[in-house]
């Protein structure tokens, strides 16, 4: 008996090792390329990975910045610390290490999914198929290839660890597995708000078992800790959510009516189902036009009703199948759009839900179809064909993420009205001095950019680069009057453009963009920061252009400064006499030898 048991254990070990090895080879064959990728620096990588204070100087940041990361709108302490550690490496190693983290944790997640599927399905082969299909599906590309999505991959690692530990615990393992579960929930919450679903999912996981004693403190101690962590996390995370959406979207997103908000939920759900079933048209943004949006919204709610009914029916008839759908739905709810998100939807939102769907599908096949060896072989053949088909698609989809241009060119072609795609793609060309291509994108989409208050500051620079200062000034004017930017750059550029090129002020009320109004706003905002000599040049320009009030304002700001030399004052007094402007103060005594022109 001992020899038979030993042989069986050895055989199980070899099968498990072969399964692990084949899954990792599949993953590395598809995603190994990411270690050579760059950053999508205008698509969150700059904000999450490059510029945050707590990433650049973790030890100098406050504990609030380290743990709650208010600059990104929700707590992100674990990826933040890992980004900091990566940043300490030699420069040439930073990006490979950053991408390598995504690949490493994704590889661990594949093994965790295999381990969980093996526990929940009757056949080890079925568990391998679930893990392999999850690995090879193209919707995985965004999470693995995008440095910013370390938060999703790490959340998956902690969530899957919690599910595994909880399953062991529910089957009678030692109490330490219960506390591993609670700690893993806390870790998941330290990566992404999607982990808000984890504690409720653990309750459903327990309900899927037949012999759980709900009156036992053994169940409620770790589960209560997980619920407490979630209850504390929710208000902390939601506090900065409005600011996150406001900063990353146009105001029009925040102004959506209740009906429009609901329609977004339906459209997002339809897009996700479409991308899972037919992943041939995946993009970093999804901005369907109105007719397509209306169709998607209707289809999404029909599909949602079907899925809800199917989940309830299967839960009553076969807990194993129903549990998979509950798992998928639980992790989808936080990213479903119930709370407004910066994007309509994203491939990365299906990172955990896809596992639940595949698990439910495999359980259904085991229960309903694969009852004979013939059916099993046929199922395995179909899964093998699916993997062979999906893996190259995922490889190519992942390759798009190597840089902004190959990623957003097809996105803009698919969604010409996507202002996000316009901005990212034009900036990619701007960085490599392909100015005409960048301008072509922005000019074609100018109306959409203006309506969504999303004109990029690079458009000003691009017009300057191609020798069109008047258009550069008009763009700066439109930004100032319609977007009211928080940063100074458009205001500063407008003043320098009009003075340097002696551009005419547009004071006709019928004009869409009144340059005189924009200049007045820029002067009021920057007057105290501008060089006194430049203010004199601006004064003369405004006087020549027939704007005496603005000229007087500029001259008053210039002459209010202290520490100016006599040569400057001589020029200022002559200018004041010429255009009948009053100084804010008299020149210093040492500069009054020549009183001519002094009023």
């Amino acid at each position: 008996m001992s020899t038979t048991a030993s042989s069986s254990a050895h055989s199980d070990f070899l099968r498990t090792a072969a399964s692990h090895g084949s899954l990792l080879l599949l993953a590395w064959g598809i995603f190994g390329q990411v270690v050579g990728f760059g950053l999508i620096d205008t698509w969150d990588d700059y904000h999450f990975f490059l510029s945050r204070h707590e990433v650049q100087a973790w030890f100098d940041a406050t504990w609030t910045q380290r743990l709650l990361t208010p600059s990104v709108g929700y707590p992100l302490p674990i990826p933040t610390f890992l980004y900091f550690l990566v940043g300490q490496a030699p420069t040439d190693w930073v990006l490979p290490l950053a991408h390598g983290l995504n690949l490493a944790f994704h590889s661990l997640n594949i093994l965790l999914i295999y381990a969980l599927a093996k526990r929940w399905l009757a056949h080890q082969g079925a568990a391998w198929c679930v893990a392999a299909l999850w690995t090879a599906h193209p919707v995985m590309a965004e999470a693995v290839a995008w440095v910013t999505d370390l938060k999703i991959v790490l959340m998956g690692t902690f969530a899957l660890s919690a599910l595994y530990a909880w399953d062991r615990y529910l089957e009678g393992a030692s109490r330490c597995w219960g506390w591993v579960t609670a700690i893993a929930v806390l870790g998941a919450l330290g990566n992404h708000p999607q982990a808000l679903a984890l504690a409720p999912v653990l309750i459903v996981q327990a309900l899927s078992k037949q012999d759980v004693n709900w009156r036992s403190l053994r169940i409620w101690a770790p589960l209560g800790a997980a619920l407490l962590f979630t209850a504390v996390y929710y208000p902390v995370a939601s506090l900065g959510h409005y600011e996150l959406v406001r900063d990353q979207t146009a105001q029009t997103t925040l102004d959506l009516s209740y009906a429009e908000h609901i329609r977004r939920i339906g459209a997002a759900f339809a897009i996700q189902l479409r991308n899972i079933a037919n992943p041939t048209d995946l993009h970093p943004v999804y901005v369907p036009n109105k007719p397509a949006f209306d169709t998607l919204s209707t289809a999404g709610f029909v599909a949602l009703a079907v899925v809800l009914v199917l989940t309830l029916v299967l839960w009553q008839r076969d807990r194993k199948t129903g549990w998979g759908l509950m798992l998928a739905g639980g992790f989808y709810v936080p990213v479903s759009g119930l709370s407004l998100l910066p994007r309509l939807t994203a491939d990365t939102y299906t990172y955990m839900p896809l596992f639940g769907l595949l698990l439910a599908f495999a359980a259904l096949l085991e229960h309903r179809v694969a009852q004979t060896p013939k059916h099993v072989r046929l199922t395995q053949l179909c899964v093998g064909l699916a993997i062979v088909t999906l893996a190259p698609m995922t490889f190519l989809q992942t390759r798009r993420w190597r840089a902004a241009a190959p990623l957003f060119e097809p996105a803009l072609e698919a969604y010409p009205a996507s202002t996000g795609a316009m901005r990212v793609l034009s900036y990619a060309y701007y960085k490599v001095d392909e100015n005409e291509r960048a301008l072509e994108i922005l000019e074609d989409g100018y109306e959409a950019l203006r309506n969504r208050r999303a004109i990029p500051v690079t458009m000003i620079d691009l017009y300057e680069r191609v020798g069109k200062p008047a258009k550069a000034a008009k763009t700066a004017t439109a930004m100032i009057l319609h977007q009211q930017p928080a940063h100074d750059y458009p205001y500063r550029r407008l003043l320098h453009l009009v003075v340097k090129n002696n551009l005419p002020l547009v004071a006709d009320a019928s004009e869409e963009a009144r340059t005189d109004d924009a200049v007045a706003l820029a002067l009021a905002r920057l007057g105290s920061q501008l060089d006194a000599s430049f203010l004199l040049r601006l004064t003369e320009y405004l006087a020549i252009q027939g704007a005496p009030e603005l000229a007087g304002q500029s001259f008053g700001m210039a002459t209010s400064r202290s520490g100016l030399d006599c040569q400057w004052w001589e020029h200022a007094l002559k200018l004041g006499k010429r255009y009948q402007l009053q100084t804010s103060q008299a020149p210093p005594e040492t500069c009054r030898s020549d009183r001519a022109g002094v009023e």
Side-chain angles (χ1 to χ4, degrees):
M1 286 293 291
S2 61
T3 303
T4 304
S6 176
S7 175
S8 177
H10 181 68
S11 178
D12 287 344
F13 173 79
L14 290 179
R15 280 197 298 269
T16 300
S19 297
H20 286 177
S22 58
L23 288 169
L24 292 178
L25 283 175
L26 176 63
W28 296 341
I30 294 171
F31 300 114
Q33 58 183 312
V34 302
V35 295
F37 286 5
L39 295 177
I40 314 295
D41 52 1
T42 49
W43 193 247
D44 281 2
D45 279 349
Y46 180 83
H47 181 56
F48 275 82
F49 181 62
L50 293 178
S51 68
R52 280 196 292 140
H53 173 64
E54 54 269 29
V55 171
Q56 297 300 312
W58 193 85
F59 290 108
D60 294 334
T62 65
W63 278 106
T64 298
Q65 292 172 320
R66 295 174 190 169
L67 296 179
L68 303 184
T69 57
S71 60
V72 297
Y74 51 85
L76 202 71
I78 299 175
T80 296
F81 184 65
L82 291 176
Y83 287 151
F84 166 72
L85 292 179
V86 167
Q88 307 313 300
T91 303
D92 292 343
W93 284 88
V94 169
L95 286 182
L97 284 174
H99 284 291
L101 280 177
N102 284 41
L103 179 58
F105 284 109
H106 183 65
S107 299
L108 178 58
N109 291 347
I110 293 167
L111 301 183
L112 285 167
I113 279 179
Y114 173 69
L116 283 166
K118 195 164 65 168
R119 297 181 68 84
W120 294 334
L121 297 173
H123 302 287
Q124 187 170 344
W128 187 92
C129 290
V130 167
L133 284 171
W134 188 80
T135 302
H137 201 287
V139 296
M140 293 291 109
E142 180 173 322
V144 184
W146 192 18
V147 167
T148 291
D149 261 351
L150 175 63
K151 60 185 187 290
I152 288 289
V153 178
L154 263 175
M155 185 277 299
T157 302
F158 282 99
L160 292 168
S161 298
L163 292 170
Y164 181 83
W166 187 236
D167 204 65
R168 292 283 302 267
Y169 187 66
L170 291 173
E171 292 183 356
S174 65
R175 290 185 181 275
C176 70
W177 287 102
W179 296 113
V180 168
T181 302
I183 293 169
V185 170
L186 183 61
L189 291 168
N191 288 281
H192 194 272
Q194 197 172 8
L196 283 166
L198 187 50
V201 164
L202 294 177
I203 295 175
V204 177
Q205 185 179 355
L207 289 170
S208 70
K209 308 288 185 179
Q210 299 296 329
D211 53 353
V212 175
N213 181 8
W214 287 98
R215 296 182 179 181
S216 170
L217 181 63
R218 186 178 187 277
I219 294 296
W220 282 106
L223 192 58
L227 290 168
L228 177 63
F229 294 151
T230 303
V232 171
Y233 174 89
Y234 179 76
V236 174
S238 61
L239 189 63
H241 180 73
Y242 179 87
E243 286 75 12
L244 173 69
V245 175
R246 182 194 63 194
D247 292 343
Q248 296 190 12
T249 64
Q251 183 66 33
T252 50
T253 302
L254 297 174
D255 294 340
L256 289 174
S257 67
Y258 179 76
E260 290 169 323
H261 183 181
I262 295 299
R263 288 169 59 239
R264 280 172 63 94
I265 296 171
F269 189 69
I271 290 171
Q272 292 289 12
L273 289 182
R274 180 196 67 189
N275 290 349
I276 291 171
N278 181 30
T280 57
D281 192 30
L282 305 182
H283 300 287
V285 292
Y286 296 99
V287 191
N289 58 34
K290 190 176 187 309
F293 183 85
D294 292 341
T295 301
L296 285 167
S297 182
T298 302
F301 279 112
V302 171
L304 181 60
V306 171
V307 169
L308 288 174
V309 171
L310 185 63
T311 300
L312 293 174
V313 170
L314 289 174
W315 179 260
Q316 293 295 324
R317 294 185 178 182
D318 178 20
R319 289 290 174 93
K320 192 181 293 184
T321 306
W323 155 237
L325 291 176
M326 291 281 194
L327 173 63
F331 277 103
Y332 182 70
V333 167
V335 291
S336 63
L338 286 173
S339 180
L340 276 175
L341 300 167
R343 290 191 279 175
L344 173 62
T345 192
D347 298 345
T348 192
Y349 296 164
T350 59
Y351 191 80
M352 287 295 292
L354 181 61
F355 170 46
L357 290 177
L358 291 172
L359 183 68
F361 187 64
L364 185 63
L365 286 177
E366 279 191 338
H367 185 67
R368 300 289 183 183
V369 178
Q371 300 291 338
T372 67
K374 180 180 177 180
H375 288 152
V376 170
R377 287 194 295 272
L378 180 61
T379 302
Q380 290 173 340
L381 176 62
C382 291
V383 171
L385 289 174
I387 293 170
V388 169
T389 302
L390 291 173
M393 294 169 59
T394 308
F395 180 89
L396 295 176
Q397 179 64 23
T398 302
R399 187 149 186 79
R400 285 184 177 182
W401 282 86
R402 67 189 183 274
L407 179 63
F408 280 91
E409 281 171 351
L412 189 58
E413 184 177 349
Y415 302 105
S418 170
T419 55
M422 293 175 202
R423 289 166 61 94
V424 174
L425 189 56
S426 65
Y427 185 75
Y429 292 139
Y430 167 84
K431 288 198 302 182
V432 295
D433 290 327
E434 294 189 36
N435 303 317
E436 296 292 347
R437 292 184 71 179
L439 268 177
E440 182 182 0
I441 292 168
L442 296 177
E443 287 178 337
D444 288 346
Y446 182 78
E447 285 303 314
L449 289 165
R450 183 181 177 280
N451 291 339
R452 291 185 61 82
R453 306 174 194 174
I455 302 170
V457 293
T458 51
M459 196 171 187
I460 302 171
D461 295 338
L462 285 166
Y463 275 127
E464 281 197 272
R465 287 183 180 183
V466 300
K468 297 179 179 178
K471 287 194 172 183
K474 183 177 180 180
T475 302
T477 297
M479 289 188 68
I480 291 169
L481 296 182
H482 300 294
Q483 293 180 199
Q484 300 173 355
H487 49 91
D488 292 340
Y489 188 78
Y491 299 90
R492 193 176 299 277
R493 291 308 307 147
L494 175 63
L495 294 180
H496 283 273
L497 281 164
V498 295
V499 172
K500 178 182 177 181
N501 299 282
N502 197 30
L503 300 175
L505 285 177
V506 179
D508 185 351
S510 64
E511 288 286 342
E512 176 186 5
R514 290 175 49 117
T515 310
D516 57 335
D517 288 345
V519 167
L521 290 172
L523 184 59
R525 182 184 182 112
L526 301 177
S528 60
Q529 305 173 32
L530 295 173
D531 177 77
S533 296
F534 176 78
L535 281 170
L536 287 185
R537 293 174 58 200
L538 179 60
T539 298
E540 187 168 15
Y541 161 79
L542 293 169
I544 292 172
Q545 292 295 323
E549 291 185 7
L550 289 176
Q553 184 180 347
S554 176
F555 190 67
M557 290 178 180
T559 57
S560 66
R561 307 291 173 82
S562 59
L564 301 171
D565 60 33
C566 294
Q567 186 177 0
W568 185 93
W569 271 106
E570 182 181 356
H571 176 58
L573 292 171
K574 289 179 179 178
L575 190 66
K577 183 176 181 181
R578 186 185 313 156
Y579 296 110
Q580 299 181 344
L581 301 172
Q582 295 291 329
T583 62
S584 294
Q585 62 180 343
E589 290 290 339
T590 55
C591 300
R592 297 186 188 181
S593 56
D594 182 5
R595 308 290 294 179
V598 180
E599 296 296 328

